[in-house]
mmCIF file of all heavy atoms in Angstrom:
data_model
loop_
_atom_site.group_PDB
_atom_site.id
_atom_site.type_symbol
_atom_site.label_atom_id
_atom_site.label_comp_id
_atom_site.label_asym_id
_atom_site.label_seq_id
_atom_site.Cartn_x
_atom_site.Cartn_y
_atom_site.Cartn_z
ATOM 1 N N TYR A 940 -3.698 12.807 -5.563
ATOM 2 C CA TYR A 940 -4.166 14.020 -6.206
ATOM 3 C C TYR A 940 -5.032 13.667 -7.403
ATOM 4 O O TYR A 940 -4.823 12.655 -8.053
ATOM 5 C CB TYR A 940 -2.984 14.878 -6.681
ATOM 6 C CG TYR A 940 -2.106 15.420 -5.600
ATOM 7 C CD1 TYR A 940 -0.921 14.784 -5.255
ATOM 8 C CD2 TYR A 940 -2.463 16.576 -4.922
ATOM 9 C CE1 TYR A 940 -0.122 15.278 -4.228
ATOM 10 C CE2 TYR A 940 -1.653 17.095 -3.911
ATOM 11 C CZ TYR A 940 -0.488 16.429 -3.565
ATOM 12 O OH TYR A 940 0.309 16.928 -2.574
ATOM 13 N N THR A 941 -5.959 14.552 -7.725
ATOM 14 C CA THR A 941 -6.733 14.399 -8.952
ATOM 15 C C THR A 941 -6.035 15.214 -10.043
ATOM 16 O O THR A 941 -5.214 16.102 -9.753
ATOM 17 C CB THR A 941 -8.173 14.938 -8.777
ATOM 18 O OG1 THR A 941 -8.108 16.351 -8.519
ATOM 19 C CG2 THR A 941 -8.903 14.213 -7.649
ATOM 20 N N LYS A 942 -6.396 14.920 -11.293
ATOM 21 C CA LYS A 942 -5.841 15.702 -12.408
ATOM 22 C C LYS A 942 -6.260 17.162 -12.291
ATOM 23 O O LYS A 942 -5.489 18.052 -12.657
ATOM 24 C CB LYS A 942 -6.286 15.110 -13.737
ATOM 25 C CG LYS A 942 -5.624 13.780 -14.055
ATOM 26 C CD LYS A 942 -6.095 13.237 -15.384
ATOM 27 C CE LYS A 942 -5.434 11.903 -15.681
ATOM 28 N NZ LYS A 942 -5.886 11.321 -16.949
ATOM 29 N N ALA A 943 -7.445 17.401 -11.774
ATOM 30 C CA ALA A 943 -7.918 18.777 -11.590
ATOM 31 C C ALA A 943 -7.051 19.545 -10.596
ATOM 32 O O ALA A 943 -6.745 20.718 -10.795
ATOM 33 C CB ALA A 943 -9.378 18.788 -11.143
ATOM 34 N N GLU A 944 -6.644 18.867 -9.529
ATOM 35 C CA GLU A 944 -5.765 19.507 -8.535
ATOM 36 C C GLU A 944 -4.415 19.817 -9.156
ATOM 37 O O GLU A 944 -3.847 20.899 -8.932
ATOM 38 C CB GLU A 944 -5.597 18.603 -7.317
ATOM 39 C CG GLU A 944 -6.814 18.471 -6.450
ATOM 40 C CD GLU A 944 -6.646 17.452 -5.340
ATOM 41 O OE1 GLU A 944 -6.272 16.294 -5.634
ATOM 42 O OE2 GLU A 944 -6.874 17.825 -4.170
ATOM 43 N N VAL A 945 -3.886 18.884 -9.924
ATOM 44 C CA VAL A 945 -2.593 19.103 -10.573
ATOM 45 C C VAL A 945 -2.692 20.245 -11.580
ATOM 46 O O VAL A 945 -1.778 21.064 -11.691
ATOM 47 C CB VAL A 945 -2.092 17.789 -11.248
ATOM 48 C CG1 VAL A 945 -0.805 18.043 -12.036
ATOM 49 C CG2 VAL A 945 -1.876 16.700 -10.200
ATOM 50 N N ALA A 946 -3.809 20.333 -12.276
ATOM 51 C CA ALA A 946 -4.003 21.367 -13.309
ATOM 52 C C ALA A 946 -3.949 22.781 -12.738
ATOM 53 O O ALA A 946 -3.708 23.731 -13.479
ATOM 54 C CB ALA A 946 -5.331 21.131 -14.023
ATOM 55 N N GLU A 947 -4.152 22.928 -11.449
ATOM 56 C CA GLU A 947 -4.079 24.253 -10.820
ATOM 57 C C GLU A 947 -2.642 24.747 -10.669
ATOM 58 O O GLU A 947 -2.407 25.907 -10.322
ATOM 59 C CB GLU A 947 -4.746 24.201 -9.436
ATOM 60 C CG GLU A 947 -6.225 23.922 -9.483
ATOM 61 C CD GLU A 947 -6.828 23.721 -8.087
ATOM 62 O OE1 GLU A 947 -6.143 23.983 -7.091
ATOM 63 O OE2 GLU A 947 -7.989 23.262 -8.037
ATOM 64 N N HIS A 948 -1.676 23.883 -10.927
ATOM 65 C CA HIS A 948 -0.251 24.218 -10.744
ATOM 66 C C HIS A 948 0.466 24.198 -12.093
ATOM 67 O O HIS A 948 1.188 23.250 -12.406
ATOM 68 C CB HIS A 948 0.378 23.233 -9.754
ATOM 69 C CG HIS A 948 -0.299 23.229 -8.426
ATOM 70 N ND1 HIS A 948 0.094 24.067 -7.411
ATOM 71 C CD2 HIS A 948 -1.349 22.505 -7.949
ATOM 72 C CE1 HIS A 948 -0.681 23.849 -6.358
ATOM 73 N NE2 HIS A 948 -1.571 22.917 -6.661
ATOM 74 N N LYS A 949 0.262 25.249 -12.851
ATOM 75 C CA LYS A 949 0.865 25.300 -14.189
ATOM 76 C C LYS A 949 1.520 26.651 -14.471
ATOM 77 O O LYS A 949 1.514 27.139 -15.583
ATOM 78 C CB LYS A 949 -0.183 24.972 -15.248
ATOM 79 C CG LYS A 949 -1.405 25.851 -15.231
ATOM 80 C CD LYS A 949 -2.406 25.380 -16.250
ATOM 81 C CE LYS A 949 -3.656 26.235 -16.157
ATOM 82 N NZ LYS A 949 -4.688 25.798 -17.061
ATOM 83 N N SER A 950 2.126 27.217 -13.438
ATOM 84 C CA SER A 950 2.818 28.482 -13.619
ATOM 85 C C SER A 950 4.247 28.367 -13.075
ATOM 86 O O SER A 950 4.587 27.388 -12.444
ATOM 87 C CB SER A 950 2.078 29.605 -12.874
ATOM 88 O OG SER A 950 2.236 29.422 -11.476
ATOM 89 N N ALA A 951 5.031 29.393 -13.317
ATOM 90 C CA ALA A 951 6.406 29.399 -12.811
ATOM 91 C C ALA A 951 6.440 29.468 -11.290
ATOM 92 O O ALA A 951 7.417 29.059 -10.676
ATOM 93 C CB ALA A 951 7.174 30.570 -13.412
ATOM 94 N N LYS A 952 5.365 29.953 -10.677
ATOM 95 C CA LYS A 952 5.314 30.024 -9.218
ATOM 96 C C LYS A 952 4.983 28.682 -8.588
ATOM 97 O O LYS A 952 5.359 28.422 -7.441
ATOM 98 C CB LYS A 952 4.287 31.077 -8.771
ATOM 99 C CG LYS A 952 4.714 32.479 -9.107
ATOM 100 C CD LYS A 952 3.719 33.488 -8.599
ATOM 101 C CE LYS A 952 4.200 34.906 -8.944
ATOM 102 N NZ LYS A 952 3.296 35.919 -8.434
ATOM 103 N N SER A 953 4.272 27.849 -9.313
ATOM 104 C CA SER A 953 3.915 26.524 -8.816
ATOM 105 C C SER A 953 3.667 25.604 -10.010
ATOM 106 O O SER A 953 2.669 25.741 -10.710
ATOM 107 C CB SER A 953 2.661 26.590 -7.946
ATOM 108 O OG SER A 953 2.342 25.292 -7.466
ATOM 109 N N SER A 954 4.614 24.702 -10.248
ATOM 110 C CA SER A 954 4.535 23.813 -11.400
ATOM 111 C C SER A 954 4.547 22.361 -10.969
ATOM 112 O O SER A 954 5.521 21.887 -10.378
ATOM 113 C CB SER A 954 5.729 24.043 -12.338
ATOM 114 O OG SER A 954 5.705 25.351 -12.847
ATOM 115 N N TRP A 955 3.466 21.680 -11.255
ATOM 116 C CA TRP A 955 3.369 20.245 -10.992
ATOM 117 C C TRP A 955 3.214 19.544 -12.326
ATOM 118 O O TRP A 955 2.681 20.105 -13.288
ATOM 119 C CB TRP A 955 2.157 19.929 -10.122
ATOM 120 C CG TRP A 955 2.221 20.444 -8.714
ATOM 121 C CD1 TRP A 955 3.156 21.278 -8.156
ATOM 122 C CD2 TRP A 955 1.296 20.161 -7.660
ATOM 123 N NE1 TRP A 955 2.869 21.537 -6.857
ATOM 124 C CE2 TRP A 955 1.720 20.855 -6.517
ATOM 125 C CE3 TRP A 955 0.142 19.393 -7.592
ATOM 126 C CZ2 TRP A 955 1.035 20.792 -5.307
ATOM 127 C CZ3 TRP A 955 -0.551 19.329 -6.393
ATOM 128 C CH2 TRP A 955 -0.091 20.017 -5.256
ATOM 129 N N ILE A 956 3.658 18.300 -12.372
ATOM 130 C CA ILE A 956 3.605 17.529 -13.601
ATOM 131 C C ILE A 956 3.323 16.070 -13.232
ATOM 132 O O ILE A 956 3.694 15.616 -12.155
ATOM 133 C CB ILE A 956 4.942 17.685 -14.360
ATOM 134 C CG1 ILE A 956 4.804 17.290 -15.806
ATOM 135 C CG2 ILE A 956 6.068 16.972 -13.696
ATOM 136 C CD1 ILE A 956 5.977 17.761 -16.665
ATOM 137 N N ILE A 957 2.652 15.365 -14.118
ATOM 138 C CA ILE A 957 2.335 13.955 -13.892
ATOM 139 C C ILE A 957 3.157 13.113 -14.868
ATOM 140 O O ILE A 957 3.084 13.326 -16.094
ATOM 141 C CB ILE A 957 0.843 13.674 -14.114
ATOM 142 C CG1 ILE A 957 -0.017 14.539 -13.200
ATOM 143 C CG2 ILE A 957 0.532 12.174 -13.919
ATOM 144 C CD1 ILE A 957 -1.507 14.576 -13.595
#
Side-chain angles (χ1 to χ4, degrees):
Y940 295 98
T941 64
K942 289 180 180 179
E944 290 174 307
V945 175
E947 295 173 11
H948 301 270
K949 57 184 177 183
S950 70
K952 291 183 179 182
S953 181
S954 297
W955 293 8
I956 198 166
I957 302 166

